[in-house]
Amino acid sequence: MRRNRLGKTDVHVTELGFGGGPLGGLFAPLDDETAAGALEAAWDSGIRYFDTSPHYGIGHSERRTGALLRDRPREEFTLSTKVGRLLVPQDPAGRTDESFAVPATHRRVWDFTRDGVLRSVADSLERMGVDRIDVLFLHDAEERFEDALRDGYPALAELRAQGVVGAIGAGMYDPGKLTRLVREADVDVVMLSGRYTLLDHSALDELLPACTDRGVSVLAASVFNSGLLATARPTEGSTFDYAPAAPRLLRRAHRIADVCEAHGVTLPELAMAFPLRHPAVAAIVVGMRTAEEVRANTAAFGARIPAQLWDDLRSEGLLDDRAPIHGP
């Protein structure tokens, strides 16, 4: 699988990355055996970039990711995790975590201070059982952006200067705040959730031009917009950004699916290919929870997209004129 460099660093990622959110029990419980099977299938498929976070299942995703990777040759894979939330032990008292289907054994405490970042990294390394993290992100800092920029970013830059991590950046869904980070800080990469997809081109306004100008790489996450683009033909009840999709989005997705079918391509295949047409995008990151999902996604990722399909989408008014369509 092709690898691309992040910014000006020596860190490289495969163009398809494994998103660790589902490993934390996102939306539904997940047992260790199923999670391990998904990770093994990803490795066997050639995926060598794995992304996780303390937030995902209050540590479950990191623990499960580390269980696979610590037995693999360290130079063969790239690992990213995130900072911004510390995990504090508590008595679950029979409760389930508010965000993931796991026992509420910990609570999250927001902390973008230098001490908080250093503690978060130390905790992540211990949970995963690995010797280093390759990429470190400020996570979900939309509502605490000034704290993250003022305190969190310098801490990440310090860790990069010390060689503790190879690349730094932020993972958010707000392209405006990511644009500020790119312009005001010296970051290598940003992870953008759901804002450069077949149905949402808002990253073209400022973020992608800023990243191109500054030599910052983009990792495109949530390329299926949480479900609407995940099947060959969306159905009633399909979600967009984790809420029921509006009728206009359903209609647009069906129009794109019509063009896909005319060329023998599926909607998920096109959704995975689209972000990578932009030269600033180094990889897409797709959340996967089972070996079957991994095999389906890697097969879709490898599909050939005819050049005429992109032209037809543009002529139908289904792609922003600014979106590159004849990339690598």
Coordinates of all heavy atoms in Angstrom, one line a residue, residues 228-302:
L228 N -23.9 7.8 5.6 CA -24.6 8.1 4.4 C -23.9 7.7 3.1 O -24.5 7.3 2.2 CB -24.9 9.6 4.3 CG -25.8 10.1 3.2 CD1 -27.1 9.4 3.2 CD2 -26.1 11.6 3.3
L229 N -22.6 7.7 3.2 CA -21.8 7.3 2.0 C -21.2 5.8 2.2 O -20.4 5.4 1.3 CB -20.6 8.3 1.8 CG -21.1 9.7 1.5 CD1 -19.9 10.6 1.5 CD2 -21.8 9.8 0.2
A230 N -21.6 5.1 3.2 CA -21.0 3.8 3.5 C -21.6 2.7 2.8 O -21.0 1.6 2.8 CB -21.1 3.6 5.0
T231 N -22.7 2.9 2.1 CA -23.3 1.8 1.3 C -23.5 2.2 -0.1 O -23.5 3.4 -0.5 CB -24.7 1.4 1.9 OG1 -25.5 2.5 2.0 CG2 -24.5 0.8 3.3
A232 N -23.7 1.2 -1.0 CA -23.9 1.5 -2.4 C -25.1 2.4 -2.7 O -25.0 3.2 -3.7 CB -24.0 0.2 -3.2
R233 N -26.1 2.3 -1.9 CA -27.3 3.1 -2.1 C -27.8 3.5 -0.7 O -28.3 2.6 0.0 CB -28.3 2.3 -2.9 CG -29.6 3.1 -3.3 CD -29.4 4.2 -4.2 NE -29.0 3.8 -5.6 CZ -28.9 4.7 -6.6 NH1 -29.2 6.0 -6.4 NH2 -28.5 4.3 -7.8
P234 N -27.8 4.7 -0.4 CA -28.3 5.1 1.0 C -29.8 4.8 1.1 O -30.5 4.9 0.2 CB -28.0 6.6 1.1 CG -27.8 7.1 -0.3 CD -27.3 5.9 -1.1
T235 N -30.1 4.5 2.4 CA -31.5 4.2 2.7 C -32.1 5.3 3.7 O -31.3 6.0 4.3 CB -31.6 2.8 3.3 OG1 -30.9 2.8 4.5 CG2 -31.1 1.8 2.4
E236 N -33.4 5.3 3.8 CA -34.0 6.1 4.8 C -33.5 5.7 6.2 O -33.3 4.6 6.5 CB -35.5 5.9 4.8 CG -36.2 6.4 3.5 CD -36.0 7.9 3.3 OE1 -36.0 8.7 4.3 OE2 -36.0 8.4 2.2
G237 N -33.1 6.7 6.9 CA -32.5 6.5 8.2 C -31.0 6.6 8.2 O -30.4 6.5 9.3
S238 N -30.4 6.7 7.0 CA -29.0 6.8 6.9 C -28.6 8.1 7.7 O -29.3 9.1 7.7 CB -28.5 6.9 5.5 OG -28.7 5.7 4.8
T239 N -27.4 8.1 8.3 CA -26.9 9.2 9.1 C -25.9 10.0 8.4 O -25.1 9.5 7.6 CB -26.4 8.7 10.4 OG1 -25.3 7.8 10.2 CG2 -27.4 8.0 11.3
F240 N -25.9 11.3 8.7 CA -24.9 12.3 8.3 C -24.4 13.0 9.5 O -25.2 13.6 10.2 CB -25.5 13.2 7.3 CG -24.5 14.3 6.8 CD1 -23.7 14.0 5.7 CD2 -24.4 15.5 7.4 CE1 -22.8 15.0 5.2 CE2 -23.5 16.4 7.0 CZ -22.7 16.2 5.9
D241 N -23.1 12.9 9.8 CA -22.6 13.4 11.0 C -23.3 13.0 12.2 O -23.7 13.8 13.1 CB -22.5 14.9 10.9 CG -21.4 15.4 10.0 OD1 -20.7 14.6 9.4 OD2 -21.4 16.7 9.8
Y242 N -23.6 11.7 12.3 CA -24.2 11.0 13.4 C -25.7 11.5 13.8 O -26.2 11.2 14.8 CB -23.4 11.2 14.7 CG -21.9 10.7 14.4 CD1 -20.9 11.7 14.2 CD2 -21.6 9.4 14.4 CE1 -19.6 11.3 13.9 CE2 -20.3 9.0 14.1 CZ -19.3 9.9 13.9 OH -18.1 9.5 13.6
A243 N -26.3 12.1 12.8 CA -27.8 12.4 12.9 C -28.5 12.0 11.6 O -27.8 11.8 10.6 CB -27.9 13.9 13.2
P244 N -29.8 11.8 11.7 CA -30.5 11.4 10.5 C -30.2 12.4 9.3 O -30.3 13.6 9.5 CB -32.0 11.5 10.9 CG -31.9 11.2 12.4 CD -30.7 11.9 12.9
A245 N -29.9 11.9 8.2 CA -29.5 12.8 7.0 C -30.7 13.5 6.5 O -31.8 13.0 6.4 CB -29.0 11.9 5.9
A246 N -30.5 14.8 6.2 CA -31.5 15.7 5.7 C -31.9 15.2 4.3 O -31.1 14.6 3.6 CB -31.1 17.1 5.6
P247 N -33.2 15.4 3.9 CA -33.6 14.9 2.6 C -32.8 15.4 1.4 O -32.5 14.6 0.5 CB -35.1 15.5 2.5 CG -35.5 15.6 3.9 CD -34.3 16.0 4.7
R248 N -32.3 16.6 1.5 CA -31.5 17.1 0.4 C -30.2 16.4 0.3 O -29.6 16.2 -0.8 CB -31.2 18.6 0.6 CG -30.4 19.0 1.8 CD -30.0 20.5 1.9 NE -29.2 20.7 3.1 CZ -27.9 20.6 3.1 NH1 -27.2 20.1 2.1 NH2 -27.2 20.8 4.3
L249 N -29.6 15.9 1.4 CA -28.4 15.2 1.4 C -28.6 13.8 0.9 O -27.8 13.2 0.1 CB -27.7 15.1 2.8 CG -27.1 16.4 3.3 CD1 -26.7 16.3 4.8 CD2 -25.9 16.8 2.4
L250 N -29.7 13.2 1.3 CA -30.1 11.9 0.7 C -30.3 11.9 -0.8 O -29.8 11.1 -1.5 CB -31.4 11.4 1.3 CG -31.3 10.7 2.7 CD1 -32.7 10.5 3.3 CD2 -30.6 9.3 2.5
R251 N -30.9 13.0 -1.3 CA -31.1 13.1 -2.7 C -29.7 13.3 -3.4 O -29.5 12.7 -4.5 CB -32.0 14.3 -3.0 CG -33.4 14.1 -2.7 CD -34.3 15.2 -3.3 NE -34.0 16.6 -2.7 CZ -34.5 17.1 -1.7 NH1 -35.5 16.4 -1.0 NH2 -34.2 18.3 -1.3
R252 N -28.9 14.1 -2.8 CA -27.5 14.3 -3.4 C -26.7 13.0 -3.5 O -26.1 12.6 -4.5 CB -26.8 15.4 -2.7 CG -25.5 15.8 -3.4 CD -24.8 17.0 -2.6 NE -23.6 17.4 -3.3 CZ -23.6 18.4 -4.2 NH1 -24.8 18.9 -4.6 NH2 -22.5 18.8 -4.8
A253 N -26.8 12.2 -2.4 CA -26.1 10.9 -2.3 C -26.6 10.0 -3.4 O -25.8 9.2 -4.0 CB -26.2 10.3 -0.9
H254 N -27.9 10.0 -3.6 CA -28.5 9.1 -4.6 C -28.1 9.6 -6.0 O -27.8 8.7 -6.9 CB -30.0 9.1 -4.5 CG -30.6 8.2 -3.5 ND1 -30.5 6.8 -3.6 CD2 -31.1 8.4 -2.3 CE1 -31.0 6.2 -2.6 NE2 -31.4 7.1 -1.7
R255 N -28.0 10.8 -6.2 CA -27.5 11.3 -7.5 C -26.1 10.9 -7.8 O -25.7 10.5 -8.9 CB -27.6 12.8 -7.6 CG -29.1 13.3 -7.7 CD -29.1 14.9 -7.8 NE -28.4 15.3 -9.0 CZ -27.9 16.6 -9.2 NH1 -28.0 17.4 -8.2 NH2 -27.3 16.9 -10.3
I256 N -25.2 11.0 -6.7 CA -23.8 10.5 -6.9 C -23.8 9.0 -7.1 O -23.0 8.5 -8.0 CB -23.0 10.9 -5.6 CG1 -22.9 12.4 -5.5 CG2 -21.6 10.3 -5.7 CD1 -22.3 12.9 -4.2
A257 N -24.6 8.3 -6.4 CA -24.7 6.8 -6.6 C -25.1 6.5 -8.0 O -24.7 5.5 -8.6 CB -25.7 6.2 -5.6
D258 N -26.0 7.3 -8.6 CA -26.4 7.0 -10.0 C -25.2 7.1 -10.9 O -25.1 6.2 -11.8 CB -27.5 8.0 -10.4 CG -28.8 7.9 -9.7 OD1 -29.1 6.8 -9.2 OD2 -29.6 8.8 -9.7
V259 N -24.4 8.1 -10.8 CA -23.2 8.3 -11.6 C -22.3 7.1 -11.4 O -21.7 6.6 -12.3 CB -22.6 9.6 -11.4 CG1 -21.3 9.8 -12.2 CG2 -23.5 10.8 -11.6
C260 N -22.1 6.7 -10.1 CA -21.2 5.6 -9.8 C -21.7 4.3 -10.5 O -20.9 3.6 -11.1 CB -21.2 5.4 -8.3 SG -20.3 6.6 -7.3
E261 N -23.0 4.0 -10.4 CA -23.5 2.8 -11.0 C -23.3 2.8 -12.5 O -23.0 1.7 -13.1 CB -25.0 2.7 -10.7 CG -25.2 2.3 -9.3 CD -26.7 2.1 -9.0 OE1 -27.5 2.3 -9.9 OE2 -27.1 1.9 -7.8
A262 N -23.3 3.9 -13.1 CA -23.1 4.0 -14.6 C -21.7 3.6 -15.0 O -21.4 3.2 -16.1 CB -23.5 5.4 -15.1
H263 N -20.8 3.7 -14.0 CA -19.4 3.4 -14.3 C -18.9 2.1 -13.6 O -17.7 1.8 -13.5 CB -18.5 4.6 -13.9 CG -18.6 5.8 -14.7 ND1 -17.9 5.9 -15.9 CD2 -19.4 6.9 -14.6 CE1 -18.3 7.1 -16.5 NE2 -19.2 7.7 -15.7
G264 N -19.9 1.4 -13.0 CA -19.5 0.2 -12.3 C -18.7 0.4 -11.0 O -17.9 -0.4 -10.6
V265 N -19.0 1.5 -10.3 CA -18.3 1.9 -9.1 C -19.3 2.0 -8.0 O -20.5 2.4 -8.3 CB -17.5 3.2 -9.3 CG1 -16.9 3.7 -8.0 CG2 -16.4 3.0 -10.3
T266 N -18.9 1.7 -6.8 CA -19.9 1.9 -5.7 C -19.6 3.2 -4.9 O -18.5 3.8 -5.0 CB -19.8 0.8 -4.6 OG1 -18.5 0.8 -4.0 CG2 -19.9 -0.6 -5.3
L267 N -20.6 3.7 -4.2 CA -20.5 4.9 -3.5 C -19.4 4.9 -2.4 O -18.6 5.8 -2.3 CB -21.8 5.2 -2.8 CG -22.1 6.7 -2.3 CD1 -21.9 7.7 -3.4 CD2 -23.5 6.8 -1.7
P268 N -19.2 3.8 -1.7 CA -18.1 3.8 -0.7 C -16.7 3.8 -1.4 O -15.8 4.4 -0.9 CB -18.3 2.4 0.0 CG -19.7 2.1 -0.1 CD -20.1 2.7 -1.5
E269 N -16.6 3.2 -2.6 CA -15.3 3.2 -3.3 C -15.0 4.6 -3.7 O -13.9 5.1 -3.6 CB -15.4 2.3 -4.6 CG -15.5 0.8 -4.3 CD -15.8 0.0 -5.5 OE1 -16.2 0.5 -6.5 OE2 -15.7 -1.3 -5.4
L270 N -16.0 5.4 -4.2 CA -15.8 6.7 -4.6 C -15.5 7.6 -3.4 O -14.6 8.5 -3.4 CB -17.0 7.3 -5.4 CG -16.8 8.6 -6.0 CD1 -15.8 8.5 -7.2 CD2 -18.1 9.2 -6.5
A271 N -16.2 7.4 -2.3 CA -16.0 8.2 -1.1 C -14.6 8.1 -0.5 O -14.0 9.0 0.0 CB -17.0 7.8 0.0
M272 N -14.0 6.9 -0.6 CA -12.7 6.7 -0.2 C -11.6 7.3 -1.1 O -10.6 7.8 -0.7 CB -12.4 5.2 0.0 CG -13.3 4.5 1.1 SD -13.0 2.8 1.2 CE -11.7 2.7 2.4
A273 N -11.9 7.3 -2.4 CA -11.0 7.8 -3.4 C -11.0 9.3 -3.4 O -9.9 10.0 -3.7 CB -11.3 7.3 -4.7
F274 N -12.1 10.0 -3.2 CA -12.2 11.4 -3.4 C -11.2 12.3 -2.6 O -10.5 13.1 -3.2 CB -13.7 11.9 -3.1 CG -13.8 13.4 -3.1 CD1 -13.7 14.1 -4.3 CD2 -14.0 14.1 -1.9 CE1 -13.9 15.5 -4.3 CE2 -14.1 15.4 -1.9 CZ -14.1 16.2 -3.1
P275 N -11.1 12.1 -1.3 CA -10.2 13.1 -0.6 C -8.8 13.0 -1.1 O -8.0 14.0 -1.1 CB -10.3 12.6 0.9 CG -11.6 11.9 1.0 CD -11.8 11.2 -0.4
L276 N -8.3 11.8 -1.5 CA -6.9 11.6 -1.9 C -6.6 12.2 -3.3 O -5.4 12.3 -3.6 CB -6.6 10.1 -2.0 CG -6.5 9.4 -0.6 CD1 -6.6 7.9 -0.7 CD2 -5.2 9.8 0.1
R277 N -7.6 12.7 -4.0 CA -7.3 13.5 -5.2 C -6.7 14.8 -4.9 O -6.0 15.4 -5.8 CB -8.6 13.7 -6.0 CG -9.5 12.5 -6.2 CD -8.8 11.3 -6.9 NE -8.5 11.5 -8.3 CZ -8.0 10.6 -9.1 NH1 -7.7 9.4 -8.6 NH2 -7.8 10.9 -10.4
H278 N -6.9 15.3 -3.7 CA -6.3 16.6 -3.3 C -4.8 16.4 -2.9 O -4.5 15.5 -2.0 CB -7.1 17.3 -2.2 CG -6.8 18.7 -2.1 ND1 -5.6 19.2 -1.6 CD2 -7.5 19.8 -2.4 CE1 -5.6 20.5 -1.6 NE2 -6.7 20.9 -2.1
P279 N -3.9 17.2 -3.4 CA -2.5 16.9 -3.1 C -2.1 17.1 -1.6 O -1.1 16.6 -1.2 CB -1.7 17.9 -4.0 CG -2.8 19.0 -4.3 CD -4.1 18.3 -4.4
A280 N -2.9 17.9 -0.9 CA -2.6 18.1 0.6 C -3.0 16.9 1.4 O -2.5 16.7 2.5 CB -3.3 19.3 1.1
V281 N -3.8 16.0 0.9 CA -4.3 14.9 1.7 C -3.4 13.7 1.5 O -3.2 13.2 0.5 CB -5.7 14.5 1.2 CG1 -6.2 13.2 2.0 CG2 -6.7 15.6 1.4
A282 N -2.8 13.3 2.7 CA -1.8 12.2 2.7 C -2.5 10.8 2.9 O -1.9 9.8 2.4 CB -0.8 12.4 3.8
A283 N -3.6 10.8 3.5 CA -4.3 9.5 3.8 C -5.7 9.8 4.2 O -6.1 10.9 4.6 CB -3.5 8.8 4.9
I284 N -6.5 8.7 4.1 CA -7.8 8.7 4.7 C -7.8 7.8 5.9 O -7.0 6.8 5.9 CB -8.9 8.3 3.8 CG1 -8.7 6.9 3.3 CG2 -9.1 9.3 2.6 CD1 -9.9 6.3 2.5
V285 N -8.6 8.1 7.0 CA -8.6 7.2 8.2 C -10.0 6.7 8.3 O -10.9 7.5 8.5 CB -8.1 8.0 9.4 CG1 -8.2 7.2 10.6 CG2 -6.7 8.6 9.2
V286 N -10.2 5.4 8.3 CA -11.5 4.8 8.4 C -11.7 4.0 9.6 O -10.8 3.1 9.9 CB -11.7 4.0 7.1 CG1 -13.1 3.3 7.2 CG2 -11.6 4.8 5.9
G287 N -12.7 4.2 10.4 CA -12.9 3.4 11.6 C -13.5 2.1 11.2 O -14.4 2.0 10.4
M288 N -12.9 1.0 11.8 CA -13.3 -0.3 11.5 C -13.4 -1.2 12.8 O -12.5 -1.0 13.7 CB -12.3 -0.9 10.5 CG -12.3 -0.2 9.2 SD -11.1 -0.8 8.0 CE -9.8 0.3 8.2
R289 N -14.4 -2.1 12.9 CA -14.5 -2.8 14.2 C -14.4 -4.3 14.0 O -14.3 -5.0 15.0 CB -15.8 -2.4 14.9 CG -17.1 -2.7 14.1 CD -18.3 -2.1 14.8 NE -18.6 -2.7 16.0 CZ -18.8 -2.0 17.2 NH1 -18.6 -0.7 17.2 NH2 -19.1 -2.6 18.3
T290 N -14.5 -4.8 12.8 CA -14.5 -6.3 12.6 C -13.6 -6.6 11.4 O -13.3 -5.7 10.6 CB -15.9 -6.9 12.3 OG1 -16.3 -6.4 11.0 CG2 -16.9 -6.5 13.4
A291 N -13.1 -7.8 11.3 CA -12.3 -8.2 10.2 C -13.0 -8.1 8.9 O -12.5 -7.8 7.9 CB -11.8 -9.7 10.4
E292 N -14.4 -8.4 8.9 CA -15.2 -8.3 7.7 C -15.2 -6.8 7.2 O -15.1 -6.6 6.0 CB -16.6 -8.8 8.0 CG -16.7 -10.3 8.2 CD -16.2 -10.7 9.6 OE1 -16.0 -9.9 10.5 OE2 -15.8 -11.9 9.8
E293 N -15.4 -5.9 8.1 CA -15.4 -4.5 7.7 C -14.0 -4.1 7.2 O -13.9 -3.4 6.2 CB -15.7 -3.6 9.0 CG -17.1 -3.5 9.3 CD -17.4 -2.5 10.4 OE1 -16.5 -1.7 10.7 OE2 -18.5 -2.5 11.0
V294 N -12.9 -4.6 7.8 CA -11.6 -4.3 7.2 C -11.5 -4.8 5.8 O -11.0 -4.1 4.9 CB -10.5 -4.9 8.1 CG1 -9.1 -4.7 7.5 CG2 -10.5 -4.2 9.5
R295 N -11.8 -6.0 5.6 CA -11.7 -6.6 4.3 C -12.5 -5.9 3.2 O -12.1 -5.6 2.1 CB -12.0 -8.1 4.3 CG -10.9 -8.9 5.0 CD -11.1 -10.4 4.8 NE -12.1 -10.9 5.7 CZ -11.8 -11.4 6.9 NH1 -10.6 -11.5 7.4 NH2 -12.8 -11.9 7.7
A296 N -13.7 -5.5 3.6 CA -14.6 -4.8 2.7 C -14.0 -3.4 2.4 O -14.1 -3.0 1.2 CB -16.0 -4.6 3.3
N297 N -13.5 -2.7 3.4 CA -13.0 -1.4 3.2 C -11.7 -1.4 2.4 O -11.5 -0.5 1.5 CB -12.8 -0.7 4.5 CG -14.1 -0.2 5.1 OD1 -15.0 0.2 4.4 ND2 -14.2 -0.2 6.4
T298 N -10.8 -2.4 2.6 CA -9.6 -2.4 1.9 C -9.9 -2.8 0.4 O -9.2 -2.3 -0.5 CB -8.6 -3.4 2.5 OG1 -9.2 -4.7 2.7 CG2 -8.1 -2.9 3.8
A299 N -10.9 -3.6 0.2 CA -11.2 -4.0 -1.2 C -11.8 -2.7 -1.9 O -11.4 -2.4 -3.1 CB -12.3 -5.1 -1.2
A300 N -12.6 -2.0 -1.2 CA -13.2 -0.8 -1.8 C -12.1 0.3 -2.0 O -12.1 1.0 -3.1 CB -14.3 -0.2 -0.9
F301 N -11.2 0.3 -1.1 CA -10.1 1.3 -1.3 C -9.2 1.0 -2.5 O -8.7 1.9 -3.2 CB -9.2 1.3 0.0 CG -8.0 2.2 -0.1 CD1 -8.2 3.6 0.1 CD2 -6.7 1.8 -0.4 CE1 -7.1 4.4 0.1 CE2 -5.7 2.6 -0.4 CZ -5.9 4.0 -0.2
G302 N -9.1 -0.2 -2.9 CA -8.3 -0.6 -4.0 C -9.0 -0.5 -5.4 O -8.4 -0.9 -6.4

